[in-house]
Amino acid sequence: MDDLLLDQSRRWAMGRPSFLPLCAHVHQHKSKSQIIMSNIKFVNSDNQEIKEVVVAQGANLRLKALENQIDLYKFYGKMMNCGGYGQCATCIVEIVEGEENLSPRSKVEETKLKKKPANYRLACQTLVNGPVTVKIKP
């Protein structure tokens, strides 16, 4: 998935707006395009806010956390994570608010998180489509 996003980023940087519909909802008003933005609030295990970031709708939760220096991984996960392919389940987060603003759980998540509460998600498999509050390292 990282390779796909990188390739799409290159196309967008070259002036091809085909990247936008894949990672953001675009609304057109007469001759203008508008990207709808969402907020992600990251909190720690004590529910204290670490950082709030603004992202385009459809953004990958793991990528946006890493881009904003949010440490998703516990010690083991820092060395042994799969790079965002949903294979290791080391990027588990708890959704405190806004669960309805996320993409549905994937089959990979259903398998990896079958013994976890319904509000636990794999950050690498989660797309943000509205305001959400995320607890890291639950």
Side-chain angles (χ1 to χ4, degrees):
M1 182 162 178
D2 289 335
D3 292 337
L4 176 65
L5 288 174
L6 190 59
D7 182 53
Q8 291 168 341
S9 296
R10 285 189 194 115
R11 278 191 264 144
W12 187 58
M14 293 169 41
R16 295 186 190 133
S18 62
F19 171 75
L20 290 175
L22 294 175
C23 77
H25 297 289
V26 178
H27 295 282
Q28 299 208 355
H29 298 282
K30 296 187 180 175
S31 64
K32 295 181 180 179
S33 293
Q34 179 182 3
I35 299 173
I36 298 181
M37 306 303 280
S38 300
N39 292 352
I40 305 172
K41 184 190 296 185
F42 293 98
V43 297
N44 63 17
S45 58
D46 298 328
N47 286 332
Q48 295 174 335
E49 184 176 333
I50 298 171
K51 191 173 200 178
E52 186 166 356
V53 298
V54 178
V55 301
Q57 275 192 336
N60 179 281
L61 184 58
R62 176 186 173 270
L63 291 176
K64 292 304 167 184
L66 296 177
E67 285 174 7
N68 288 281
Q69 291 78 44
I70 304 295
D71 186 15
L72 287 178
Y73 298 106
K74 296 179 181 177
F75 179 75
Y76 174 78
K78 289 178 185 179
M79 296 181 291
M80 303 302 287
N81 73 74
C82 66
Y85 292 99
Q87 301 302 307
C88 66
T90 58
C91 62
I92 293 176
V93 295
E94 180 182 349
I95 307 304
V96 178
E97 292 177 9
E99 191 172 350
E100 68 279 0
N101 295 325
L102 301 174
S103 58
R105 268 189 174 189
S106 66
K107 290 181 182 181
V108 170
E109 285 183 283
E110 291 297 339
T111 302
K112 297 287 183 181
L113 301 175
K114 61 185 169 194
K115 295 181 181 179
K116 300 286 185 187
N119 66 332
Y120 277 43
R121 297 294 302 268
L122 295 180
C124 66
Q125 301 294 301
T126 305
L127 302 179
V128 179
N129 295 310
V132 65
T133 302
V134 178
K135 184 183 291 187
I136 60 168
K137 302 178 191 175

